[in-house]
Structures are given as C-alpha cells and as structure tokens.
Amino acid sequence: EIIAYEKNIKELNRTLERKVKAQTKELKKQNQKLLREIEERKKAEKKLRESESLYKSFLNGTSDGVLISDIEGYITYYNESALKLLRYKEGELLGKHVFHLVAKDEIPHVRDIYFQSKEEGKSFREELLLRRKDDTTFFADISADFIKDDNGRPVLVTLFAKDITEKKEKEKRFR
C-alpha cells in the first residue's frame, strides 16, 4: 500500500511538473508579447513627442497669431504671436471665449459665421475688428478651420490671425 501511495505521489508530481512547465511556457510567450507591445508603444510615444514638437515649432515659428479652441469657443492653446498681437501675458488667454477677443459690434456677425461654419463643417476667412486686452481694436485677417473627430464631428477650432490694420488704413487713404 505504501508503494502504491508513493507511485501515486510520483505520478501526481510528474503531472504537476508538466502543468507548471506548460504554464511557464505560456507565461513566457505572453511576457514576450507584452515586451513587444511595450516596445511598440515606446516607439509610438516617441513619434508622438517628435510630431508634437514639430507642430509646436511650426505654430510658434509663424508671425500669425494662432489660437485653438474647443468646439464651444474656449481657448485651449495659443502661440507667442497671439500673445503679442492681443497684448496678453502667458496664461491669460487660456479658458477665455474667442468672442471675448472680438470687437463688441462684431460679435453678432462673428457668431453667425461661426455657427454656420460649424454646422456645415467648413472653414471660413474674414476680416474682423478684434479687441486687445487693453480694449484697443485692430483689423485682422482671420482664417478658421474645424478639426474633426473620427466620426467627422467638429471638436476643435484653429484660428490664425494676422494684423491688417496698416493695409486697412492704406485702403482708407486711397479712397
């Protein structure tokens, strides 16, 4: 009876070793898969950082004021040129509504253009009177476009602003 018991224990031990070996093999396989996924993710993150750096370099390298707002019109990003153009300090534009930067008389017109363009999902370009932090106004050539999600719904708005006050003054003098 002891011999039968020992044989039974040895057989159970061999079965357990086979199961442990199979599980170890499967864990090694899963571990390799995870390591490959981690490596792929690191490469993707590196590409994303490079792309973001290029994007920021481009936006900060332009003399145009650049603003990005959420779809409701609240500013989420701006470049240095926008700060200079609008006479704001770092951080002061974040969270402001873009209509706050439009001359009061222009707001109804801008609101109409914005909502019509948003509904149609089309970009727009307008010459508008904008308002600086100190409440002085200036003419700007505004180009706006909607960034859409995977379903084609607008989620962000990019705005490029160029001061055209001198151009407008010259036009006025020649009339």
Side-chain angles (χ1 to χ4, degrees):
E1 197 173 291
I2 291 178
I3 293 174
Y5 181 73
E6 284 179 356
K7 278 185 176 180
N8 194 18
I9 287 178
K10 284 182 180 178
E11 184 57 36
L12 287 172
N13 196 16
R14 282 192 292 271
T15 302
L16 184 59
E17 283 178 5
R18 280 192 303 272
K19 286 182 179 182
V20 166
K21 203 179 236 183
Q23 280 295 91
T24 301
K25 185 178 179 181
E26 182 59 30
L27 285 172
K28 283 181 180 179
K29 186 177 165 184
Q30 291 298 322
N31 194 31
Q32 289 299 320
K33 183 180 175 186
L34 285 172
L35 288 173
R36 280 191 301 275
E37 287 177 11
I38 289 169
E39 193 59 36
E40 287 174 17
R41 179 168 283 178
K42 283 181 181 178
K43 286 179 185 176
E45 287 173 354
K46 183 179 180 210
K47 278 187 174 184
L48 181 62
R49 281 191 305 275
E50 289 169 353
S51 174
E52 189 174 302
S53 176
L54 179 65
Y55 157 80
K56 283 185 177 179
S57 174
F58 167 74
L59 292 179
N60 285 324
T62 182
S63 61
D64 289 356
V66 179
L67 299 168
I68 298 177
S69 75
D70 63 19
I71 199 61
E72 301 303 320
Y74 294 96
I75 298 168
T76 59
Y77 174 85
Y78 54 85
N79 69 354
E80 287 293 320
S81 295
L83 291 177
K84 290 175 187 166
L85 188 65
L86 298 163
R87 299 184 183 155
Y88 279 85
K89 290 185 174 120
E90 184 71 36
E92 291 180 327
L93 282 173
L94 285 181
K96 284 207 180 301
H97 199 281
V98 292
F99 292 163
H100 182 80
L101 307 174
V102 176
K104 288 179 174 58
D105 295 343
E106 294 261 16
I107 291 175
H109 172 68
V110 172
R111 187 177 285 130
D112 290 345
I113 294 168
Y114 176 79
F115 288 113
Q116 181 181 353
S117 297
K118 178 181 164 185
E119 191 175 298
E120 295 171 0
K122 293 182 181 176
S123 60
F124 65 89
R125 186 170 186 173
E126 287 281 321
E127 291 183 357
L128 300 171
L129 194 60
L130 296 186
R131 181 173 43 148
R132 294 185 176 102
K133 181 182 176 185
D134 61 10
D135 275 335
T136 60
T137 57
F138 68 100
F139 284 100
D141 181 18
I142 303 292
S143 296
D145 202 0
F146 293 91
I147 298 173
K148 299 171 184 156
D149 66 13
D150 292 340
N151 297 319
R153 288 187 311 254
V155 291
L156 295 173
V157 183
T158 58
L159 299 152
F160 288 80
K162 180 183 235 44
D163 187 341
I164 58 167
T165 304
E166 284 183 27
K167 175 187 164 201
K168 286 292 202 181
E169 287 172 355
K170 284 179 186 175
E171 287 175 3
K172 192 176 180 180
R173 279 191 300 238
F174 286 117
R175 283 188 204 147

